[in-house]
Amino acid sequence: MQWRSIVVGLVLLRLSLSCFVWLAFGLGPSVSWGFNFPLGFNLGKLELLFRDGKAPSLRSSSWSRIHGHRYEETETICTRVEEESPKGSYLSFFDGNRDEYERRYGSFPETLRVKMKDMAKEMFYFGYDNYMKYAFPEDELNPIDCEGRGPDVSNPSNININDVLGNYSLTLIDTLDTLLVLGNVTEFHRAVKLVIDTVSFDKDSTVQVFEANIRILGGLISAHILLTDPKHPFGKVGFEGYDNELLHLAHDLAVRLLPAFENTTTGIPYPRVNLKTGVPPDSINETCTAGAGSLLVEFGILSRLIGDSTFEWVARRAVRALWNLRSNETGLLGNVVNIQTGQWVSKQSGLGAGMDSFYEYLLKSYLLFGEKEDYRMFQSAYESIQNHLRRGRESCNEGEGDPPLYVNVNMFSGEIMNTWIDSLQAFFPGLQVLNGDVDNAICLHAFYYAIWKRFGALPERYNWQLQAPDVLFYPLRPELVESTYLLYQATKNPFYLHVGMDILQSLEKNAKVRCGYATLHHVVDKSKEDRMESFFLSETCKYLYLLFDEDNPLHKSDNKYIFTTEGHVVPVDQRFRDKQWDDPFPCTEGALTNPYTRPAPTNTSNCNRIPEERRYTLPLKSVCMRHIDHMVGLF
């Protein structure tokens, strides 16, 4: 009888082991053991090994023809894995059908939200207070040496510094409206008075028109509107004796930028001007699409505030000139153009550096000014982007192939030009939210967040084929935080609070130094550069704070508003839709061939655009999130 018991025991053990292997490797959808790597064996993947030469459509389901066998053999299928798997795996016995993604991201306690809000506020004030203590009135703070930084007068060719720093207290002006977002009216008043008393643009500084526009002109206009318009979300925050000085400063600066639009045969502006003397004699005739085509919001608001059409007219003329140079075949624009000949110097078309805010301002100009021309251009551009830049499967949450990704292509042929994307492209999910395309926004954002999880920062360029950074620095850019904030406002999904917390904690751990937060020179070894750009306070800290501040006046106000590309708060107001002049350069229909006829959006919430049946616990199904993590080399 004893030998029979032994045999029965062995049989039961064998059955138990077989059942365990079957659950873990056959039916469980990429079961994880609690570490950061899933077991990659399942029936869906086994089927791929025995397919009879069935290749996916390169244009619709994979990122590029450059993909080798590594990608083709790991063609994770979001729908197929779930359809061929049971509703749960053995893990469901231990955690109520919730996998590791749901456990991590499925909820966010209120006490933790308040803690993160306070942490974001402390981050801002640590940078701001040290700027005011050690750097003001200079443009930026060197947070490691606790010193101020201005233009590099000894090396005029150092455009990395001189394009941005004009010896005009850049960080203070760029940060004015952030003080109000954080509720500090007293410091806002003090900062405004300091700007009025100390800032002058009568300086021998050669600056980039684009940077001076979005950081300085935008900061002044936003602060002026907040001071003088009691309808804005922060209420009456004006002070006695304010006599439109910020608006006068903005006007003075804009007049000094106007020479960039002179003596150019296309109407596309020169990239740089000297604030005293105009366009430098040795100025180049090349500029990027974003630099020349992202002036309309600030210039347009200024024109409508002072009743002078000049500024909006030159900015709109530049946009139209660029638009008319797009490819007749693809509808795409290039990256760098000659302002005299109209010839494209760089034919690369993408969503990142050199092009990003051009698309952003087409939509935001429409929202502000109500010009249908702007919306038709945006929708036509968006359609071309979807047709020629977007790679991967049609839907992020289902179907076969790689997750959707936007690549860099030749503007004329649509062929892929390289295998990298840059961190500035992380703004695009936020723009997609404003356009109502929340599904695509969710997916692209998840890709950039996966890169952040891997490195604790976004490398300036990331090679999606090599799964490695091409350019390793991270200057504390705000684009991923901005998209995270807008996606949270659109979905209220706690996943995005976790994303914000990860970003906040990474910055505290990797970028905080003695007097502020420093640029990461290398996202892998976390070495640093002694620079804290103004957009860290103007945008990165602002969006992090707003993400966690549910009760902020911006979220409670009945009035509409947008953020400029530098994160400045601007109300959507009827007075910006009323012009005091006739357009001297009206749009002709020929400038808008193949207009996209989708109805223009109203200023209503996009929060309900995702069908009820597709509102998962997470914004993406866990298996799709796991796939994206895998595609950036997380495991």
Side-chain angles (χ1 to χ4, degrees):
M1 294 297 293
Q2 188 174 10
W3 67 269
R4 290 181 180 176
S5 300
I6 294 173
V7 170
V8 171
L10 289 172
V11 169
L12 290 174
L13 179 61
R14 174 67 178 272
L15 288 172
S16 299
L17 288 172
S18 298
C19 182
F20 176 82
V21 171
W22 177 251
L23 285 169
F25 296 96
L27 298 178
S30 296
V31 173
S32 170
W33 294 98
F35 299 99
N36 229 359
F37 51 89
L39 295 173
F41 298 91
N42 54 51
L43 292 179
K45 289 185 179 179
L46 287 175
E47 180 194 9
L48 291 172
L49 300 178
F50 296 101
R51 284 185 177 176
D52 187 16
K54 181 181 178 182
S57 167
L58 290 170
R59 183 66 70 178
S60 64
S61 65
S62 66
W63 287 346
S64 99
R65 295 181 177 87
I66 301 173
H67 279 344
H69 295 293
R70 173 165 58 108
Y71 292 94
E72 293 171 2
E73 292 176 357
T74 59
E75 187 188 342
T76 303
I77 305 170
C78 286
T79 302
R80 185 181 300 277
V81 170
E82 292 209 340
E83 288 176 350
E84 295 184 355
S85 302
K87 294 299 182 183
S89 72
Y90 75 97
L91 289 177
S92 64
F93 292 105
F94 302 99
D95 196 21
N97 288 315
R98 302 180 76 208
D99 69 6
E100 72 271 24
Y101 286 87
E102 290 177 328
R103 288 195 301 272
R104 178 176 179 183
Y105 299 114
S107 64
F108 202 89
E110 174 64 13
T111 54
L112 186 58
R113 184 191 64 78
V114 173
K115 179 180 178 181
M116 290 301 104
K117 183 184 77 168
D118 293 341
M119 188 173 175
K121 177 183 282 190
E122 290 170 5
M123 174 178 285
F124 169 82
Y125 280 115
F126 185 68
Y128 175 81
D129 289 344
N130 279 304
Y131 165 76
M132 295 303 295
K133 180 178 181 180
Y134 295 109
F136 176 80
E138 294 194 70
D139 289 310
E140 286 181 351
L141 169 69
N142 290 346
I144 295 175
D145 288 341
C146 302
E147 296 175 346
R149 179 198 292 265
D152 187 354
V153 294
S154 64
N155 182 14
S157 64
N158 184 5
I159 59 175
N160 182 48
I161 297 296
N162 294 331
D163 272 359
V164 179
L165 309 189
N167 195 19
Y168 38 33
S169 301
L170 168 66
T171 295
L172 182 62
I173 294 175
D174 208 4
T175 305
L176 288 174
D177 68 319
T178 308
L179 292 166
L180 273 188
V181 168
L182 270 65
N184 195 339
V185 177
T186 301
E187 182 60 22
F188 172 69
H189 286 167
R190 186 178 84 94
V192 167
K193 292 173 183 177
L194 280 173
V195 170
I196 293 171
D197 292 340
T198 64
V199 172
S200 168
F201 298 120
D202 190 26
K203 300 288 178 65
D204 185 19
S205 299
T206 299
V207 296
Q208 191 183 79
V209 175
F210 168 77
E211 295 290 358
N213 173 67
I214 66 170
R215 301 200 200 199
I216 299 293
L217 189 62
L220 292 170
I221 289 173
S222 174
H224 167 75
I225 294 171
L226 296 176
L227 275 167
T228 58
D229 183 3
K231 292 183 297 183
H232 70 71
F234 305 105
K236 296 181 179 180
V237 296
F239 58 85
E240 186 176 354
Y242 177 71
D243 191 24
N244 299 328
E245 288 92 344
L246 297 186
L247 183 61
H248 298 321
L249 280 171
H251 186 201
D252 178 47
L253 174 61
V255 169
R256 295 172 187 274
L257 299 180
L258 280 180
F261 296 88
E262 300 171 0
N263 302 315
T264 140
T265 57
T266 62
I268 300 171
Y270 285 91
R272 298 174 183 88
V273 295
N274 183 284
L275 296 178
K276 265 185 177 292
T277 62
V279 176
D282 59 349
S283 180
I284 61 173
N285 289 325
E286 298 173 1
T287 190
C288 67
T289 301
S294 303
L295 309 172
L296 186 52
V297 166
E298 289 83 1
F299 272 45
I301 294 175
L302 178 63
S303 279
R304 297 180 189 226
L305 284 174
I306 66 176
D308 183 349
S309 65
T310 302
F311 306 100
E312 180 175 342
W313 182 80
V314 296
R316 190 170 291 281
R317 182 181 62 167
V319 171
R320 289 169 175 165
L322 288 164
W323 183 251
N324 287 331
L325 296 175
R326 71 195 186 282
S327 166
N328 292 328
E329 298 297 322
T330 65
L332 297 173
L333 290 83
N335 196 294
V336 178
V337 68
N338 186 298
I339 66 172
Q340 302 297 351
T341 66
Q343 297 296 309
W344 290 104
V345 179
S346 170
K347 299 175 180 63
Q348 176 177 300
S349 189
L351 298 177
M355 300 200 70
D356 49 354
S357 53
F358 175 79
Y359 301 119
E360 178 185 1
Y361 268 21
L362 289 179
L363 181 57
K364 289 184 177 179
S365 294
Y366 166 72
L367 294 174
L368 276 173
F369 307 129
E371 300 284 354
K372 293 181 180 179
E373 169 196 6
D374 297 332
Y375 188 68
R376 289 197 299 266
M377 285 191 287
F378 173 77
Q379 283 300 338
S380 181
Y382 194 77
E383 183 181 26
S384 296
I385 288 168
Q386 295 299 100
N387 288 339
H388 299 286
L389 272 62
R390 190 184 187 276
R391 296 296 197 273
R393 57 180 176 262
E394 182 176 352
S395 172
C396 191
N397 254 322
E398 56 193 13
E400 302 184 11
D402 295 334
L405 181 71
Y406 295 83
V407 299
N408 299 317
V409 305
N410 183 290
M411 64 174 288
F412 295 108
S413 67
E415 295 296 321
I416 292 178
M417 293 189 67
N418 50 58
T419 59
W420 55 259
I421 53 176
D422 65 50
S423 64
L424 287 168
Q425 191 193 102
F427 93 98
F428 198 64
L431 188 63
Q432 290 178 309
V433 169
L434 293 183
N435 192 43
D437 191 359
V438 179
D439 273 352
N440 271 312
I442 285 170
C443 202
L444 183 59
H445 174 274
F447 181 79
Y448 273 96
Y449 174 49
I451 298 173
W452 184 284
K453 283 191 292 184
R454 182 177 172 191
F455 298 105
L458 279 187
E460 191 71 354
R461 285 185 183 175
Y462 175 81
N463 191 307
W464 44 260
Q465 186 189 34
L466 301 178
Q467 297 184 350
D470 273 356
V471 179
L472 288 153
F473 71 91
Y474 169 65
L476 312 178
R477 291 199 188 279
E479 284 74 17
L480 179 60
V481 188
E482 175 187 9
S483 290
T484 302
Y485 165 67
L486 291 172
L487 273 165
Y488 180 68
Q489 290 301 308
T491 66
K492 294 300 179 181
N493 194 301
F495 170 79
Y496 296 106
L497 297 178
H498 284 279
V499 175
M501 182 171 69
D502 282 355
I503 294 172
L504 190 55
Q505 292 175 337
S506 295
L507 291 170
E508 280 291 316
K509 177 182 177 181
N510 300 322
K512 191 172 185 178
V513 292
R514 185 158 61 110
C515 292
Y517 295 83
T519 292
L520 293 184
H521 176 73
H522 195 296
V523 297
V524 177
D525 67 23
K526 304 301 187 292
S527 56
K528 298 172 181 64
E529 297 179 17
D530 196 9
R531 187 178 187 186
M532 187 178 80
E533 293 224 36
S534 66
F535 53 65
F536 174 70
L537 298 179
S538 173
E539 299 183 79
T540 307
C541 291
K542 178 185 292 169
Y543 288 127
L544 281 170
Y545 181 78
L546 284 172
L547 176 65
F548 297 108
D549 186 16
E550 292 280 2
D551 298 322
N552 194 276
L554 286 177
H555 302 149
K556 299 295 185 180
S557 173
D558 293 331
N559 298 313
K560 307 295 183 182
Y561 61 91
I562 65 168
F563 296 99
T564 69
T565 196
E566 188 69 10
H568 296 129
V569 178
V570 176
V572 177
D573 195 297
Q574 183 60 41
R575 62 177 167 156
F576 297 142
R577 297 193 167 210
D578 297 331
K579 291 188 294 187
Q580 302 174 36
W581 58 85
D582 294 327
D583 192 347
F585 185 26
C587 171
T588 61
E589 287 302 316
L592 292 170
T593 56
N594 299 319
Y596 197 73
T597 57
R598 172 177 162 184
T602 59
N603 290 315
T604 56
S605 172
N606 291 321
C607 300
N608 297 319
R609 294 199 177 194
I610 300 178
E612 187 70 35
E613 63 274 12
R614 296 192 58 199
R615 293 179 192 170
Y616 307 108
T617 305
L618 300 176
L620 288 180
K621 296 176 182 177
S622 295
V623 65
C624 299
M625 283 192 176
R626 188 176 292 110
H627 187 197
I628 292 172
D629 285 351
H630 173 70
M631 297 302 273
V632 303
L634 268 173
F635 44 74

